[in-house]
PDB file of all heavy atoms in Angstrom:
ATOM      1  N   MET S   1       9.436  18.261  -2.841  1.00  0.00           N
ATOM      2  CA  MET S   1       8.261  17.639  -3.366  1.00  0.00           C
ATOM      3  C   MET S   1       7.173  17.608  -2.329  1.00  0.00           C
ATOM      4  O   MET S   1       5.976  17.888  -2.591  1.00  0.00           O
ATOM      5  CB  MET S   1       8.603  16.211  -3.799  1.00  0.00           C
ATOM      6  CG  MET S   1       7.351  15.357  -4.079  1.00  0.00           C
ATOM      7  SD  MET S   1       7.852  13.677  -4.534  1.00  0.00           S
ATOM      8  CE  MET S   1       7.357  12.708  -3.166  1.00  0.00           C
ATOM      9  N   VAL S   2       7.505  17.279  -1.026  1.00  0.00           N
ATOM     10  CA  VAL S   2       6.518  17.185  -0.023  1.00  0.00           C
ATOM     11  C   VAL S   2       6.673  18.204   1.009  1.00  0.00           C
ATOM     12  O   VAL S   2       7.751  18.418   1.553  1.00  0.00           O
ATOM     13  CB  VAL S   2       6.625  15.737   0.616  1.00  0.00           C
ATOM     14  CG1 VAL S   2       5.700  15.654   1.798  1.00  0.00           C
ATOM     15  CG2 VAL S   2       6.278  14.639  -0.418  1.00  0.00           C
ATOM     16  N   ASP S   5       3.975  18.543   7.279  1.00  0.00           N
ATOM     17  CA  ASP S   5       4.878  18.446   8.375  1.00  0.00           C
ATOM     18  C   ASP S   5       4.970  16.970   8.794  1.00  0.00           C
ATOM     19  O   ASP S   5       4.191  16.078   8.443  1.00  0.00           O
ATOM     20  CB  ASP S   5       4.423  19.332   9.618  1.00  0.00           C
ATOM     21  CG  ASP S   5       3.170  18.986  10.256  1.00  0.00           C
ATOM     22  OD1 ASP S   5       3.012  17.805  10.537  1.00  0.00           O
ATOM     23  OD2 ASP S   5       2.342  19.842  10.457  1.00  0.00           O
ATOM     24  N   ILE S  10       3.615  11.073   9.471  1.00  0.00           N
ATOM     25  CA  ILE S  10       3.645   9.909  10.371  1.00  0.00           C
ATOM     26  C   ILE S  10       2.310   9.376  10.712  1.00  0.00           C
ATOM     27  O   ILE S  10       2.047   8.200  10.688  1.00  0.00           O
ATOM     28  CB  ILE S  10       4.547  10.221  11.588  1.00  0.00           C
ATOM     29  CG1 ILE S  10       5.994  10.358  11.203  1.00  0.00           C
ATOM     30  CG2 ILE S  10       4.360   9.152  12.687  1.00  0.00           C
ATOM     31  CD1 ILE S  10       7.015  10.551  12.334  1.00  0.00           C
ATOM     32  N   GLY S  29      -5.305 -14.043   3.567  1.00  0.00           N
ATOM     33  CA  GLY S  29      -5.869 -14.977   4.488  1.00  0.00           C
ATOM     34  C   GLY S  29      -5.553 -14.619   5.935  1.00  0.00           C
ATOM     35  O   GLY S  29      -4.759 -13.777   6.234  1.00  0.00           O
ATOM     36  N   PHE S  48       5.081  -9.051   8.063  1.00  0.00           N
ATOM     37  CA  PHE S  48       3.950  -9.985   8.392  1.00  0.00           C
ATOM     38  C   PHE S  48       4.298 -11.408   8.033  1.00  0.00           C
ATOM     39  O   PHE S  48       5.193 -11.659   7.286  1.00  0.00           O
ATOM     40  CB  PHE S  48       2.724  -9.486   7.639  1.00  0.00           C
ATOM     41  CG  PHE S  48       2.838  -9.433   6.201  1.00  0.00           C
ATOM     42  CD1 PHE S  48       2.378 -10.549   5.399  1.00  0.00           C
ATOM     43  CD2 PHE S  48       3.506  -8.396   5.506  1.00  0.00           C
ATOM     44  CE1 PHE S  48       2.531 -10.580   3.996  1.00  0.00           C
ATOM     45  CE2 PHE S  48       3.606  -8.421   4.133  1.00  0.00           C
ATOM     46  CZ  PHE S  48       3.137  -9.461   3.375  1.00  0.00           C
ATOM     47  N   PRO S  53       6.368 -15.586  -1.465  1.00  0.00           N
ATOM     48  CA  PRO S  53       6.290 -14.257  -2.031  1.00  0.00           C
ATOM     49  C   PRO S  53       4.809 -13.861  -2.375  1.00  0.00           C
ATOM     50  O   PRO S  53       4.058 -14.715  -2.777  1.00  0.00           O
ATOM     51  CB  PRO S  53       7.162 -14.360  -3.280  1.00  0.00           C
ATOM     52  CG  PRO S  53       8.078 -15.390  -3.036  1.00  0.00           C
ATOM     53  CD  PRO S  53       7.369 -16.400  -2.212  1.00  0.00           C
ATOM     54  N   SER S  64      -5.393  -1.933  -4.118  1.00  0.00           N
ATOM     55  CA  SER S  64      -6.728  -1.320  -4.547  1.00  0.00           C
ATOM     56  C   SER S  64      -7.738  -1.376  -3.384  1.00  0.00           C
ATOM     57  O   SER S  64      -8.536  -0.467  -3.221  1.00  0.00           O
ATOM     58  CB  SER S  64      -7.239  -1.949  -5.787  1.00  0.00           C
ATOM     59  OG  SER S  64      -8.030  -3.013  -5.583  1.00  0.00           O
ATOM     60  N   ASP S  97     -20.257   1.277  18.376  1.00  0.00           N
ATOM     61  CA  ASP S  97     -21.026   0.259  17.547  1.00  0.00           C
ATOM     62  C   ASP S  97     -20.507  -1.114  17.669  1.00  0.00           C
ATOM     63  O   ASP S  97     -21.295  -2.170  17.827  1.00  0.00           O
ATOM     64  CB  ASP S  97     -21.039   0.668  16.088  1.00  0.00           C
ATOM     65  CG  ASP S  97     -21.771   1.999  15.769  1.00  0.00           C
ATOM     66  OD1 ASP S  97     -22.430   2.487  16.744  1.00  0.00           O
ATOM     67  OD2 ASP S  97     -21.570   2.573  14.702  1.00  0.00           O
ATOM     68  N   ARG S 142       7.435 -11.709   5.442  1.00  0.00           N
ATOM     69  CA  ARG S 142       7.571 -10.884   4.352  1.00  0.00           C
ATOM     70  C   ARG S 142       7.584  -9.406   4.796  1.00  0.00           C
ATOM     71  O   ARG S 142       7.004  -9.080   5.856  1.00  0.00           O
ATOM     72  CB  ARG S 142       6.363 -11.019   3.335  1.00  0.00           C
ATOM     73  CG  ARG S 142       6.063 -12.470   2.964  1.00  0.00           C
ATOM     74  CD  ARG S 142       7.207 -13.179   2.219  1.00  0.00           C
ATOM     75  NE  ARG S 142       7.551 -12.468   0.991  1.00  0.00           N
ATOM     76  CZ  ARG S 142       8.579 -12.958   0.210  1.00  0.00           C
ATOM     77  NH1 ARG S 142       9.279 -14.064   0.574  1.00  0.00           N
ATOM     78  NH2 ARG S 142       8.933 -12.304  -0.854  1.00  0.00           N
ATOM     79  N   SER S 175      18.239  -0.128 -33.405  1.00  0.00           N
ATOM     80  CA  SER S 175      19.049   0.274 -32.217  1.00  0.00           C
ATOM     81  C   SER S 175      18.387   1.325 -31.324  1.00  0.00           C
ATOM     82  O   SER S 175      18.641   1.416 -30.155  1.00  0.00           O
ATOM     83  CB  SER S 175      20.409   0.792 -32.775  1.00  0.00           C
ATOM     84  OG  SER S 175      20.196   1.933 -33.560  1.00  0.00           O
ATOM     85  N   LEU S 191      13.244   3.202  -9.953  1.00  0.00           N
ATOM     86  CA  LEU S 191      12.402   4.298  -9.537  1.00  0.00           C
ATOM     87  C   LEU S 191      11.301   3.807  -8.554  1.00  0.00           C
ATOM     88  O   LEU S 191      10.889   2.649  -8.625  1.00  0.00           O
ATOM     89  CB  LEU S 191      11.760   5.074 -10.694  1.00  0.00           C
ATOM     90  CG  LEU S 191      12.766   5.890 -11.539  1.00  0.00           C
ATOM     91  CD1 LEU S 191      12.086   6.421 -12.753  1.00  0.00           C
ATOM     92  CD2 LEU S 191      13.374   6.988 -10.768  1.00  0.00           C
ATOM     93  N   PRO S 194       4.718   1.734  -7.928  1.00  0.00           N
ATOM     94  CA  PRO S 194       4.033   0.609  -7.337  1.00  0.00           C
ATOM     95  C   PRO S 194       4.472  -0.715  -7.913  1.00  0.00           C
ATOM     96  O   PRO S 194       4.660  -0.888  -9.149  1.00  0.00           O
ATOM     97  CB  PRO S 194       2.577   0.880  -7.714  1.00  0.00           C
ATOM     98  CG  PRO S 194       2.452   2.382  -7.920  1.00  0.00           C
ATOM     99  CD  PRO S 194       3.802   2.725  -8.516  1.00  0.00           C
ATOM    100  N   GLU S 200       4.007  -5.270 -14.307  1.00  0.00           N
ATOM    101  CA  GLU S 200       3.354  -5.126 -15.632  1.00  0.00           C
ATOM    102  C   GLU S 200       4.319  -4.484 -16.652  1.00  0.00           C
ATOM    103  O   GLU S 200       4.323  -4.882 -17.789  1.00  0.00           O
ATOM    104  CB  GLU S 200       2.116  -4.220 -15.465  1.00  0.00           C
ATOM    105  CG  GLU S 200       0.930  -4.854 -14.835  1.00  0.00           C
ATOM    106  CD  GLU S 200      -0.200  -3.890 -14.576  1.00  0.00           C
ATOM    107  OE1 GLU S 200      -0.285  -2.795 -15.293  1.00  0.00           O
ATOM    108  OE2 GLU S 200      -1.043  -4.236 -13.750  1.00  0.00           O
ATOM    109  N   LEU S 213      13.551  -7.239 -31.043  1.00  0.00           N
ATOM    110  CA  LEU S 213      15.018  -7.173 -31.046  1.00  0.00           C
ATOM    111  C   LEU S 213      15.680  -8.508 -31.243  1.00  0.00           C
ATOM    112  O   LEU S 213      16.868  -8.639 -30.986  1.00  0.00           O
ATOM    113  CB  LEU S 213      15.500  -6.565 -29.713  1.00  0.00           C
ATOM    114  CG  LEU S 213      15.138  -5.072 -29.465  1.00  0.00           C
ATOM    115  CD1 LEU S 213      15.464  -4.691 -28.092  1.00  0.00           C
ATOM    116  CD2 LEU S 213      15.843  -4.197 -30.485  1.00  0.00           C
TER     117      LEU S 213
END
Side-chain angles (χ1 to χ4, degrees):
M1 167 181 111
V2 172
D5 67 48
I10 288 180
F48 59 98
S64 89
D97 294 347
R142 312 297 302 177
S175 63
L191 290 175
E200 284 174 21
L213 293 172

